[in-house]
Structure formats: structure tokens, C-alpha cells
């Protein structure tokens, strides 16, 4: 499958928000309510929020395109983890967070996500990072398996708020 991976621009905000709304529910545990998921999408994954992310100098949004359509995206955040508890378990510096990595379901298991991960690693190495870290829901076994295949190891836990619910994540880290 031929895909292109490039940094997204502000003009991509609407298209990436559409992919985000379609894929965020896939990462949620079965107990997450539709209302809580909808609230999170409205608050955190709207086109307006992506236009903010796309102009934040500490963030990079990568888009993966197939046949002219965006089929996935990743958001990277450079610098010290905002949560000091995460900062204690993430041992490598400088570090970058893979804050989001989402691919449309029709493209799972095709190598698109691996291509995204390779692009993320290449960018982080070029930027002089020593490590990458991420949070993944403790019930999201598919994503954990994907990250493990790509060299990430569990280093701790954290929580993540979706609407009215507190979700439980593993923190994973990989050296570069
Ligand atoms: C996470 C994601 C990017 C991984 O991409 P992918 O193309 O699915 O990844 P791969 O197919 O290369 O790897 C997934 C692994 O999980 C396995 N797997 C698939 N479904 C599974 C399931 N229900 N339970 C356990 N393992 C599963 C696959 O067999 C594969 O392992 P293998 O290569 O050893 O056979 C993609 O699934 C995705 O976008 N998911 C929805 C959003 C999400 O969860 N994002 C991550 C948020 S932290």
C-alpha cells in the first residue's frame, strides 16, 4: 500500500478532526459512554482545537495520505511531560510524547501504522531526542501490541480523563 506521510498544515484541520472523531472511540475501553466520548471529541478533537495544535511550536502533527485522502494522523509533543508523575517514570531526555496515533480501521494491519511509527522515529532522531513516550489505555491490547512490536516498554501508569470518567493508561517508553 503506497502512502505519503507529511507534516500537516492548518488547512488540514477539518480533515484531521474528521479522522480523529472516527478513530478516537476505537481507543476507548468498552465502559466509556457515548456522551463522554462525544464530549471529549467536541472539547479536544474539534477542527478548532487542531488549528491550535497545528500552530503550537512544541507540537507536530503528521498526516498519512492514501489516494489523496487522510487515513491517519499522529501528534507529537516535544519537551518535558506536563504531568510530573509521568516525568518521573520517563527516564530518557530529551523526550517527545506520541500524544496521538490514529489510523482509520480499513487501514489497520496494512503497514500504514508501521510507516507512521518509522516517520515519527525518524523525525525524533533528527530532532536529537533520546526517547519517545506515550500513554495507552490499559484495555487497548491491540495498540499495546503494536507499540511493543516497535520497541516500547511499560514504565508506569497514568490516568486520562474522558468526559466524566477516569481512564487508566500504561506509560510506555522507547529509546532511540
Ligand atoms: C493502534 C494502531 C495505530 C495500530 O495499528 P495496526 O495497523 O492495527 O497495527 P498492527 O496490525 O501492525 O499491530 C497490531 C497487533 O495487534 C494484534 N491485534 C489485532 N487485534 C487485536 C486484538 N483485538 N487483541 C489483541 N491483539 C490484536 C495484531 O495481530 C497485531 O499483532 P501481530 O503483528 O503480532 O499479529 C491502530 O490499530 C489504530 O489506529 N487503532 C485505533 C486507535 C488507537 O487505539 N490508537 C492508539 C491510541 S494510544
Amino acid at each position: 500500500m503506497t502512502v505519503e506521510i507529511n507534516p500537516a498544515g492548518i488547512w488540514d484541520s477539518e480533515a484531521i478532526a474528521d479522522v480523529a472523531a472516527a478513530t478516537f472511540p476505537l481507543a476507548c475501553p468498552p465502559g466509556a459512554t457515548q456522551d463522554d466520548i462525544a464530549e471529549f471529541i467536541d472539547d479536544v478533537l474539534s477542527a478548532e482545537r487542531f488549528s491550535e495544535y497545528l500552530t503550537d511550536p512544541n507540537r507536530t502533527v503528521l498526516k498519512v495520505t492514501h489516494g489523496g485522502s487522510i487515513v491517519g494522523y499522529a501528534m507529537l509533543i516535544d519537551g518535558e511531560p506536563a504531568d510530573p508523575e509521568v516525568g518521573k517514570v520517563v527516564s530518557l531526555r530529551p523526550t517527545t510524547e506520541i500524544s496521538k496515533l490514529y489510523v482509520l480501521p480499513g487501514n489497520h494491519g496494512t503497514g500504514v501504522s508501521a510507516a507512521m511509527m518509522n516517520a515519527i522515529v525518524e523525525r525524533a532522531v533528527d530532532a536529537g531526542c533520546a526517547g519517545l513516550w506515550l500513554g495507552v489505555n490499559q484495555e487497548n491490547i491491540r495498540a499495546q501490541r503494536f507499540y511493543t512490536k516497535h520497541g516500547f516498554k511499560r514504565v508506569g501508569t497514568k490516568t486520562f480523563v474522558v468526559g466524566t470518567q477516569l481512564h487508566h493508561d500504561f506509560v510506555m517508553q522507547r529509546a532511540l
Side-chain angles (χ1 to χ4, degrees):
M1 188 164 169
T2 312
V3 293
E4 284 182 27
I5 300 172
N6 292 300
I10 195 152
W11 53 88
D12 294 311
S13 302
E14 293 272 354
I16 292 179
D18 287 346
V19 174
T23 52
F24 177 69
L26 305 172
C28 292
T33 69
Q34 293 305 317
D35 283 353
D36 284 337
I37 291 173
E39 184 181 329
F40 187 91
I41 290 170
D42 278 354
D43 288 351
V44 180
L45 301 175
S46 64
E48 192 185 352
R49 294 307 304 274
F50 272 102
S51 64
E52 292 167 14
Y53 303 147
L54 283 159
T55 49
D56 179 341
N58 293 324
R59 297 182 194 236
T60 303
V61 180
L62 296 175
K63 61 177 175 180
V64 55
T65 313
H66 176 61
S69 301
I70 296 178
V71 297
Y73 75 100
M75 185 161 83
L76 313 176
I77 307 180
D78 293 326
E80 193 57 22
D83 177 345
E85 294 304 313
V86 172
K88 285 182 197 160
V89 295
V90 169
S91 57
L92 300 162
R93 299 288 187 284
T95 189
T96 286
E97 177 186 4
I98 304 179
S99 163
K100 307 183 192 307
L101 174 50
Y102 289 86
V103 170
L104 287 173
N107 297 271
H108 294 174
T110 63
V112 168
S113 307
M116 285 290 270
M117 183 58 79
N118 292 341
I120 289 167
V121 167
E122 193 178 328
R123 181 206 164 271
V125 168
D126 285 352
C129 286
L132 288 166
W133 76 272
L134 56 88
V136 57
N137 190 278
Q138 293 184 9
E139 295 181 58
N140 190 347
I141 307 298
R142 179 172 199 149
Q144 289 170 43
R145 191 167 172 87
F146 171 77
Y147 294 131
T148 302
K149 277 197 303 183
H150 288 276
F152 286 81
K153 291 194 168 51
R154 276 192 211 168
V155 292
T157 60
K158 71 175 186 65
T159 53
F160 183 76
V161 177
V162 177
T164 58
Q165 287 191 346
L166 198 61
H167 290 194
H168 296 276
D169 285 0
F170 290 122
V171 177
M172 300 184 84
Q173 176 176 243
R174 169 191 162 153
L176 295 173

